[in-house]
Amino acid sequence: MLMQAPFYVSARHWGFSRDGVRFSAQMADLEFLQAITDKTIPISLQEGVRMEIRVEWKERELGKAWEYVPDSRKVVQVLSPRPTGRTATDEPEEDDQGDEDAG
C-alpha cells in the first residue's frame, strides 16, 4: 500500500506498507514516473492506494548470514496500477531477486 510519494523522478524514497510493516524504496520505474507526468495512470495516486510492485535490494555477507544494505531498496517495476496502454506482456520473467507486494 502506498503511504507517501514525491510523484516525480527524485532521489527521495517512496513509502509503502506491507502487512502493516512500513518500508521505503527509491522509485526506479521510469516508465511509471513518466506515466504520472503524462496522466496515464488509471487511478489517482494517494495515500492508501494498493500497489503491486517489484522491489530489488542489495545484501552483503556478514559471517554466515546475509545482511540488508540500508537504503538499497528500489522499485524496479510497478505491476499495478499499470499506465494505460501497458500490457501484461511487459512484465519481466521471474528471477531470484526479492519481490515485495506493497499492499
Side-chain angles (χ1 to χ4, degrees):
M1 180 179 306
L2 180 65
M3 299 306 291
Q4 65 180 18
F7 298 118
Y8 54 86
V9 177
S10 169
R12 290 184 48 205
H13 286 205
W14 289 42
F16 299 94
S17 174
R18 178 180 179 183
D19 299 327
V21 177
R22 288 181 176 240
F23 67 95
S24 65
Q26 182 180 10
M27 179 57 73
D29 185 339
L30 298 179
E31 181 181 346
F32 182 76
L33 289 170
Q34 185 62 48
I36 292 172
T37 301
D38 296 344
K39 300 182 187 327
T40 58
I41 302 296
I43 62 170
S44 176
L45 291 177
Q46 58 189 345
E47 184 177 327
V49 168
R50 179 176 163 73
M51 295 181 73
E52 184 177 349
I53 57 177
R54 276 192 56 233
V55 178
E56 294 180 356
W57 60 89
K58 294 180 182 178
E59 295 178 333
R60 62 178 161 235
E61 192 172 3
L62 184 65
K64 294 183 179 183
W66 288 91
E67 174 183 75
Y68 163 72
V69 176
D71 297 321
S72 68
R73 276 191 206 101
K74 289 184 182 180
V75 175
V76 294
Q77 186 176 32
V78 176
L79 302 171
S80 176
R82 285 198 175 97
T84 54
R86 191 167 163 191
T87 65
T89 58
D90 294 332
E91 293 181 21
E93 293 183 19
E94 290 287 320
D95 60 20
D96 56 355
Q97 288 291 324
D99 288 297
E100 294 189 23
D101 175 359

